[in-house]
């Protein structure tokens, strides 16, 4: 009889807001316990900043586990891969003496982001004017669009130069008529083939059937950490559509984006900032000028992928509670708590006012959500620096009250609190 899989090892780190929750730091912190780290969705629109010994690493496609030599890092089939950017990222890591070799695996089924995806992303955004989504212009929407339309080019195609060139030429016919309809300059196959075939050669040693690899790891009871990109409200289904990204960033994306089944996932850690941020357009009921200015003046909240200042606001418990439900969150990680250090009073949204009604849930109609006004509960601030705290007891009483308040509102326990960017500035509860 086969040995039953009894160990509860595999964990998902998922964002509960609009991305940039500090997932990279939590992954990096938990990676010690893991054998493999896996990206399952998104592409180089993601940007995870990790600070180790005051050295800053920004990773877009490579899973954060790469900074630990013994971990296997997997780019799953649900990711859209920009080969040129991936080569640059690997090169930058190697220049910084980070080991990148057989510890990195790229799915042969992942779809490739090509220059026309980026071009169409930009042309569409420009054409939309003030209705734009505010994308990262990394070609994410058009690449996932091609995948859904069944005209995408996959990594396995890219690995075969002749097949790649042929598919590219076929695809460019339709793409170029679209490009021209937006007034853009058509793209030729020649300008793409050479750099992409070169990148393909560079990436070839890393390309694998990651479904088989992941199942092997699972069978051997290896501990797998799934690294979410973006956040719940950027999910193509569960987010504030159309102001979303084009993948399933939430828990469901883990299974379609890796080929592992739901029973291979044992724990979900939801990551959220102690306040809320968003980049790009779209509704954000608790957005607040004062807190935006405060955080920006501290040099905080500038996007790691685009450098754009993020929009900032109070913590929205209605939103986070919804994300806890959608993802089946078992534990919460609260990040950037020190961002609130100087405040006298701290507000938390506990409901919305909409046309004389009180809503206790996130409306699915984005046009309704745009008109929602937050109802706040207030907490007393702690008004002192907490970045030096290393335990629950070392946190001021008002900080503890704030955290307990969030737990009550979200009906989930907090297990990790981050009080600064460094690895050691993390409290385990
Ligand atoms: P796209 O993913 O580039 O198509 O952008 C769609 C929306 O998702 C825009 O509002 C982006 O600002 C947002 N977005 C995409 N990736 C991230 C991320 O890693 N953090 C925060 N927002 C993101």
């Amino acid at each position: 009889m086969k040995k039953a899989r009894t160990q509860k090892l595999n964990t998902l780190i998922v964002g509960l807001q609009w991305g940039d929750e500090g997932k990279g730091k939590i992954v990096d912190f938990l990676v010690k316990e893991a054998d493999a780290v896996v990206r399952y969705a998104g592409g180089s629109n993601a940007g995870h900043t990790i600070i180790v010994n005051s050295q800053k690493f920004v990773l877009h496609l490579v899973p954060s586990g790469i900074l630990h030599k013994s971990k296997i890092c997997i780019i799953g089939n649900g990711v859209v891969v920009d080969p040129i950017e991936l080569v640059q990222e690997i090169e930058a890591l190697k220049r910084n003496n980070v080991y990148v070799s057989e510890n990195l695996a790229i799915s042969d089924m992942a779809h490739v982001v090509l220059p026309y995806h980026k071009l169409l992303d930009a042309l569409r955004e420009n054409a939309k004017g003030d209705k734009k989504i505010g994308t990262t212009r990394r070609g994410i929407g058009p690449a996932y669009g091609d995948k859904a339309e069944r005209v995408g080019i996959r990594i396995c195609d890219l690995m075969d130069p002749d097949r790649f060139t042929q598919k590219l030429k076929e695809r460019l016919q339709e793409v170029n008529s679209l490009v021209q309809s937006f007034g853009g300059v058509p793209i030729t196959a020649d300008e793409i083939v050479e750099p992409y075939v070169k990148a393909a050669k560079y990436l070839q040693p890393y390309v694998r059937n990651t479904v088989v690899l992941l199942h092997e790891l699972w069978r051997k009871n290896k501990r797998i950490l799934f690294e979410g990109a973006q956040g719940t409200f950027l999910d193509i289904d569960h987010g504030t559509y159309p102001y979303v990204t084009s993948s399933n960033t939430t828990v469901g994306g883990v299974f379609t984006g890796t080929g592992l089944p739901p029973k291979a996932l044992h724990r979900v850690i939801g990551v959220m900032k102690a306040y809320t941020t968003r980049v790009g357009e779209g509704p954000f009921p608790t957005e607040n000028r004062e807190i935006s200015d405060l955080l920006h003046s501290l040099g905080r909240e500038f996007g790691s992928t685009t450098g754009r200042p993020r929009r900032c606001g109070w913590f929205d418990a209605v939103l986070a509670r919804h994300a806890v439900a959608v993802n089946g969150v078992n534990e919460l990680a609260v990040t950037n708590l020190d961002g609130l250090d100087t405040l006298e009073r701290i507000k938390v949204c506990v409901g919305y006012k909409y046309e004389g009604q009180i809503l206790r849930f996130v409306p699915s109609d984005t046009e309704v959500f745009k008109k929602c006004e937050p109802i706040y509960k207030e907490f007393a601030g702690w008004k002192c620096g907490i970045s030096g705290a290393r335990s629950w007891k070392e946190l001021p009483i008002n900080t503890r009250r704030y955290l307990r308040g969030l737990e009550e509102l979200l009906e989930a326990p907090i297990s990790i609190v981050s009080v600064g960017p460094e690895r050691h500035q993390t409290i385990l509860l």
Side-chain angles (χ1 to χ4, degrees), residues 18-20 23 45-48 121 133-142 229-231 234 242-246 278-281 305 308 310:
W18 278 291
D20 307 317
K23 296 178 292 295
N45 50 348
H48 288 167
D121 196 353
I133 290 164
T135 73
T136 59
R137 300 187 176 220
R138 302 292 162 113
I140 305 300
Q230 291 86 40
L234 289 174
Y243 304 99
V244 291
T245 189
S246 298
R278 153 159 229 176
V279 275
E281 307 304 312
T305 300
R308 291 184 283 182
R310 297 177 185 137

Side-chain angles (χ1 to χ4, degrees), residues 12-18 21 231-233 238 249-252 265 267-273 315-334 360-362 405-415:
L12 163 65
I13 307 288
V14 68
L16 301 184
Q17 294 158 322
W18 278 291
E21 295 92 350
T232 298
F233 295 95
H238 297 287
T249 60
T250 51
V251 67
L265 178 65
R267 176 170 69 152
V268 180
I269 301 183
V271 186
M272 55 195 206
K273 278 184 180 148
F315 186 83
D316 188 336
V318 185
L319 209 67
R321 196 182 147 93
H322 185 86
V324 165
V326 166
N327 292 293
V329 166
N330 308 106
E331 296 169 27
L332 298 166
V334 181
R360 300 280 175 197
F361 56 88
V362 184
L406 299 187
E407 280 184 327
E408 268 170 40
L409 289 165
L410 271 54
E411 292 182 57
I414 295 172
S415 60

